[in-house]
Amino acid sequence: MRLFEIHDQEWFPQFLRDEFVDGLQMILDVTNTYQPIAKLLRKRLEQCGAERVLDLCSGAGGPWPSLVRDFESSGARLPEVLLTDKYPPTKMLSIRESASASKIHFHAHSVDATQIPEHLDGFRTLFSSFHHLQPDEARGLLQDCASRGRGIAIFEAPARRAITLLSLLLIPPAAWLFVPFRRPFRWSRLLWTYLIPVIPFVLFFDGLISCLRSYSPAELREMTKGLATDHYRWEVGEKSGGLLPLRVTYLVGCPGSVFAESGD
């Protein structure tokens, strides 16, 4: 469903957008939403020989801070990770970069996922952001990856499933419960969460719209028809796990790879 999310709009103030992506980041950290796909991502990055990851629509960093810990605990080699966003929250990203040492870097300038500059190279990743693209834009991004021989991994937690939609009811209570423990502490976060609860509302509203806009595995398979070649392969599937009983939909493309539908 082609609806709009509040935080995507140009009229939405940047300081509120920063608070929104910080709140979303907090929820991702607490629920460990993307833990089920960590092993899959590690294998595909190794399989594609990725030296650098270009993360698109990163917000406040998405799951990469926790994925870094997963890479390190498993003994896997972590490529350089460059975070990009159309509306980069540079202040928060700089804090995250310093906390992650040399593992994660951020690009301070705006990067549109549909118009990626030539000089930004690497294996591309998107976490719960692919649904922001219209079907023609989404297919254009996939076509660009296949044409340029760039690997891509897309992971979507939002979905048009009853259990996922019901889980959205937990978002406002989670924001109210965990905000006081979020670091670094900011009074503005309390203001826009408790006194003027804009952030819990936008988190819930945009979460609902994200689910309604999400692409199903069947739609992703249809989108990649005609893009696969002898030198580029696509893999679509779902993984479940983490704190909540949610399934993460994934679409992975890699040059020169042969995927098993029941892949690890």
Side-chain angles (χ1 to χ4, degrees):
M1 298 179 64
R2 305 330 305 166
L3 305 170
F4 76 91
E5 296 176 46
I6 295 174
H7 82 279
D8 277 344
Q9 307 308 305
E10 293 186 4
W11 50 260
F12 193 61
Q14 182 63 40
F15 75 92
L16 286 178
R17 185 180 291 110
D18 288 352
E19 295 293 346
F20 167 84
V21 297
D22 186 58
L24 182 59
Q25 183 69 42
M26 175 186 66
I27 292 173
L28 290 176
D29 291 344
V30 170
T31 60
N32 208 10
T33 302
Y34 289 102
Q35 188 278 331
I37 56 84
K39 182 179 178 182
L40 172 68
L41 178 59
R42 291 198 309 269
K43 286 201 169 190
R44 297 307 178 238
L45 287 174
E46 181 181 357
Q47 189 176 29
C48 292
E51 297 294 332
R52 186 192 203 191
V53 170
L54 179 66
D55 191 62
L56 305 169
C57 307
S58 302
W64 273 113
S66 59
L67 287 173
V68 165
R69 294 190 292 270
D70 181 86
F71 271 75
E72 292 174 341
S73 64
S74 64
R77 182 185 63 85
L78 176 69
E80 174 192 4
V81 179
L82 181 65
L83 305 176
T84 69
D85 199 271
K86 189 174 182 179
Y87 304 106
T90 53
K91 182 177 180 181
M92 281 185 290
L93 287 177
S94 62
I95 294 172
R96 287 194 169 275
E97 177 174 316
S98 61
S100 303
S102 60
K103 303 296 184 182
I104 300 177
H105 307 283
F106 73 94
H107 190 67
H109 302 288
S110 175
V111 175
D112 189 331
T114 64
Q115 300 177 20
I116 302 172
E118 289 286 339
H119 68 279
L120 293 181
D121 201 2
F123 186 104
R124 300 167 181 179
T125 57
L126 294 94
F127 293 89
S128 292
S129 54
F130 193 62
H131 62 270
H132 292 177
L133 306 182
Q134 299 286 350
D136 57 333
E137 294 174 330
R139 184 177 171 84
L141 173 59
L142 301 182
Q143 179 66 71
D144 183 64
C145 292
S147 299
R148 296 172 61 182
R150 301 291 183 266
I152 186 170
I154 295 164
F155 303 103
E156 291 279 297
R160 302 192 302 269
R161 304 188 190 97
I163 186 64
T164 305
L165 292 169
L166 286 173
S167 70
L168 297 175
L169 297 175
L170 300 175
I171 289 180
W176 291 321
L177 179 62
F178 294 111
V179 154
F181 305 100
R182 186 70 168 160
R183 295 294 180 270
F185 178 84
R186 291 200 305 273
W187 286 108
S188 61
R189 189 184 291 130
L190 301 185
L191 171 65
W192 297 106
T193 300
Y194 296 109
L195 296 181
I196 311 175
V198 171
I199 302 308
F201 171 76
V202 177
L203 284 169
F204 175 79
F205 180 87
D206 282 12
L208 175 61
I209 299 303
S210 293
C211 289
L212 298 179
R213 297 173 73 184
S214 63
Y215 296 106
S216 68
E219 290 166 336
L220 293 175
R221 291 189 182 95
E222 181 67 26
M223 195 177 290
T224 59
K225 280 187 177 179
L227 300 183
T229 68
D230 291 339
H231 305 291
Y232 204 96
R233 289 290 183 269
W234 297 97
E235 174 188 26
V236 178
E238 296 176 324
K239 292 283 187 183
S240 59
L243 182 61
L244 298 176
L246 304 179
R247 286 180 286 173
V248 177
T249 301
Y250 64 85
L251 167 62
V252 181
C254 196
S257 300
V258 179
F259 296 130
E261 281 298 319
S262 59
D264 299 324

